[in-house]
Amino acid sequence: MSTETTTSVWGGGNRPMKASYGKLMMWFFLLTDALTFSGFLVAYGFARHKYEEIWPLAENVFTHFPGIEGHQPLLYVALMTFILIMSSVTMVLAVHYGHEMNKKKVTLWMGLTLLGGIIFLGSQAWEWMHFINGTAEGAMLLADGSVAHVLQAGELINGQTYAHEILKLGENYFITEGAKVSELLNGAEPIYGANMVVNEYGAPQFANFFFFITGFHGFHVFLGVVINLIIFVNILLGTYEKRGHYEMVEKVGLYWHFVDLVWVFVFTFFYLI
Amino acid sequence: MAAHSTSTKHIWKTFFILLIITTVEVGLGMYNSANPGDMNWTILKWAFIIMTIWKAYFIVVDFMHVGSEEKSLKLTLALPMIILIPYLLFIILNEAIYVHGTLH
């Protein structure tokens, strides 16, 4: 083991780029993780371009808000984004008071960060539940594998009243002729919500990417909550007071901010665009 | 430790910037959802992307304290992203546009 007096760069005697070993290792990890998420989001872009006609718009899929009736696009995900940004602020405040060796304030802000993470995970579970259960009307999975929305006769759509009845996703016209409708619905099955195989809102790839990317992000949040909890217990035990510094809080802080950073991109590419 | 002496005032300022950008994004998204076609989608899409990168900048520079790191570390972190991600995007999206309508 090298001692404090080692000055050789290769012996680890100085701090490369003036950052500590632990922080550099965290940055190594975050860099690889950032490229992993980039790969996922770019792959999402690929699938979206490929299946452009049947790709559902997130604003037509995620329209629920607890306690409010009706069509509420973007509102719920805006709340989730707010929660995550807020927990990022509480984390950076915990790091700040860590530098001041203020145990009481580090405990407070770290506790709030933990709470924010748990609320975010709960919100995500709620969103997944709605997506998996789908709408009351559902859709029809046609024999050829495409998805069609069956509409009530006389319903007003884009300023036009249709006699009936069926919109095959990816096509720009309604099929209203009775014989054609029954031919299409021959062998069709009703589907509700989304899973890895079917998706009532459109391309099943949308559901696959949604579950995979938000799931992988959610897994990061979950791990973050677990790690934050361990650090929180250590703060309470006074481990870092004894050690003389709160660098551990700083390191998990980097991870936590990264989770927020990834959400910023998921929010844009999944929900806004 | 002096390098990391961010004041709490500065932290809250960054928070409000992030909050305002997010509110603008959500507002534009909601308006576009309620009135499709009112706004030019290409411009709106780029506005969303620019606002996202802007938010990412604030998170990385202020919250992750990269702003007060050595220049060598800043470059080590930024260059792989700046070089690799646009490259990947270009290749994959270009291919996606080609593949669209060719394979099933």
Side-chain angles (χ1 to χ4, degrees), chain A residues 87-145:
Chain A
S87 89
S88 225
V89 175
T90 56
M91 178 53 101
V92 80
L93 286 167
V95 173
H96 174 82
Y97 288 109
H99 288 305
E100 292 182 359
M101 298 298 291
N102 187 336
K103 184 183 164 182
K104 227 170 147 182
K105 289 222 164 143
V106 179
T107 311
L108 168 75
W109 292 112
M110 195 66 187
L112 288 174
T113 306
L114 211 47
L115 190 70
I118 292 166
I119 295 173
F120 181 85
L121 281 177
S123 313
Q124 205 166 35
W126 193 85
E127 177 121 303
W128 274 45
M129 186 195 77
H130 271 273
F131 187 50
I132 292 168
N133 289 336
T135 58
E137 308 85 50
M140 294 304 281
L141 181 65
L142 304 183
D144 67 356

Side-chain angles (χ1 to χ4, degrees), chain B:
Chain B
M1 294 292 152
H4 296 295
S5 58
T6 348
S7 70
T8 51
K9 211 175 135 190
H10 186 76
I11 293 169
W12 284 109
K13 197 183 139 200
T14 306
F15 166 70
F16 280 112
I17 292 170
L18 290 173
L19 189 67
I20 290 164
I21 300 173
T22 307
T23 312
V24 171
E25 279 182 331
V26 172
L28 286 173
M30 279 178 174
Y31 181 83
N32 187 57
S33 176
N35 311 284
D38 258 23
M39 283 183 285
N40 183 317
W41 177 239
T42 310
I43 294 172
L44 190 61
K45 194 160 64 178
W46 280 103
F48 282 145
I49 292 171
I50 289 164
M51 282 190 277
T52 302
I53 293 169
W54 197 19
K55 281 205 287 188
Y57 172 85
F58 277 110
I59 293 173
V60 173
V61 170
D62 285 344
F63 285 178
M64 296 170 102
H65 302 305
V66 171
S68 45
E69 298 287 0
E70 286 292 298
K71 194 182 172 194
S72 55
L73 183 54
K74 281 181 195 164
L75 290 175
T76 306
L77 299 174
L79 287 180
M81 299 291 137
I82 293 169
I83 294 166
L84 292 174
I85 295 172
Y87 172 67
L88 186 69
L89 267 172
F90 170 72
I91 297 286
I92 301 285
L93 294 187
N94 218 17
E95 289 303 305
I97 292 161
Y98 170 69
V99 165
H100 173 245
T102 61
L103 299 168
H104 290 286

Side-chain angles (χ1 to χ4, degrees), chain A residues 34-103:
Chain A
L35 290 171
T36 306
F37 271 108
S38 317
F40 292 161
L41 285 171
V42 174
Y44 168 88
F46 181 88
R48 186 175 172 160
H49 277 280
K50 170 81 184 95
Y51 300 103
E52 207 182 345
E53 296 86 358
I54 52 168
W55 204 258
L57 289 177
E59 63 206 38
N60 299 327
V61 178
F62 306 104
T63 57
H64 299 279
F65 195 90
I68 306 177
E69 291 287 315
H71 188 77
Q72 302 291 342
L74 288 173
L75 197 59
Y76 189 69
V77 70
L79 176 74
M80 283 170 74
T81 306
F82 174 74
I83 292 165
L84 215 53
I85 291 177
M86 200 63 220
S87 89
S88 225
V89 175
T90 56
M91 178 53 101
V92 80
L93 286 167
V95 173
H96 174 82
Y97 288 109
H99 288 305
E100 292 182 359
M101 298 298 291
N102 187 336
K103 184 183 164 182

Side-chain angles (χ1 to χ4, degrees), chain A:
Chain A
M1 294 298 279
S2 52
T3 58
E4 288 293 309
T5 51
T6 307
T7 48
S8 153
V9 179
W10 300 107
N14 70 19
R15 296 164 10 125
M17 304 185 243
K18 283 193 191 154
S20 73
Y21 152 81
K23 266 164 78 176
L24 274 184
M25 292 303 116
M26 182 55 89
W27 275 115
F28 264 118
F29 167 68
L30 295 184
L31 212 56
T32 59
D33 220 18
L35 290 171
T36 306
F37 271 108
S38 317
F40 292 161
L41 285 171
V42 174
Y44 168 88
F46 181 88
R48 186 175 172 160
H49 277 280
K50 170 81 184 95
Y51 300 103
E52 207 182 345
E53 296 86 358
I54 52 168
W55 204 258
L57 289 177
E59 63 206 38
N60 299 327
V61 178
F62 306 104
T63 57
H64 299 279
F65 195 90
I68 306 177
E69 291 287 315
H71 188 77
Q72 302 291 342
L74 288 173
L75 197 59
Y76 189 69
V77 70
L79 176 74
M80 283 170 74
T81 306
F82 174 74
I83 292 165
L84 215 53
I85 291 177
M86 200 63 220
S87 89
S88 225
V89 175
T90 56
M91 178 53 101
V92 80
L93 286 167
V95 173
H96 174 82
Y97 288 109
H99 288 305
E100 292 182 359
M101 298 298 291
N102 187 336
K103 184 183 164 182
K104 227 170 147 182
K105 289 222 164 143
V106 179
T107 311
L108 168 75
W109 292 112
M110 195 66 187
L112 288 174
T113 306
L114 211 47
L115 190 70
I118 292 166
I119 295 173
F120 181 85
L121 281 177
S123 313
Q124 205 166 35
W126 193 85
E127 177 121 303
W128 274 45
M129 186 195 77
H130 271 273
F131 187 50
I132 292 168
N133 289 336
T135 58
E137 308 85 50
M140 294 304 281
L141 181 65
L142 304 183
D144 67 356
S146 54
V147 175
H149 285 173
V150 180
L151 302 152
Q152 293 293 318
E155 197 174 332
L156 185 75
I157 295 144
N158 293 338
Q160 203 174 340
T161 312
Y162 289 88
H164 217 56
E165 15 224 295
I166 191 163
L167 173 67
K168 201 173 156 186
L169 294 187
E171 314 279 4
N172 285 325
Y173 54 90
F174 286 81
I175 297 155
T176 54
E177 194 191 316
K180 195 87 192 285
V181 169
S182 39
E183 189 197 314
L184 263 185
L185 292 181
N186 186 23
E189 283 173 61
I191 48 170
Y192 298 94
N195 54 46
M196 296 301 270
V197 185
V198 292
N199 175 11
E200 72 155 89
Y201 302 99
Q205 286 82 0
F206 177 86
N208 300 156
F209 275 104
F210 178 79
F211 288 129
F212 194 71
I213 295 177
T214 66
F216 197 60
H217 176 264
F219 177 64
H220 276 74
V221 179
F222 173 73
L223 278 186
V225 168
V226 171
I227 297 166
N228 284 353
L229 185 67
I230 295 167
I231 301 302
F232 185 67
V233 171
N234 272 320
I235 294 167
L236 290 179
L237 293 174
T239 309
Y240 307 124
E241 289 286 311
K242 270 176 241 151
R243 202 176 284 179
H245 59 80
Y246 279 87
E247 201 190 85
M248 227 35 221
V249 177
E250 216 175 318
K251 279 182 269 188
V252 297
L254 286 178
Y255 177 76
W256 193 251
H257 295 311
F258 174 74
V259 169
D260 182 26
L261 186 66
V262 170
W263 184 256
V264 165
F265 284 90
V266 172
F267 172 62
T268 301
F269 292 110
F270 248 99
Y271 295 90
L272 289 175
I273 290 186

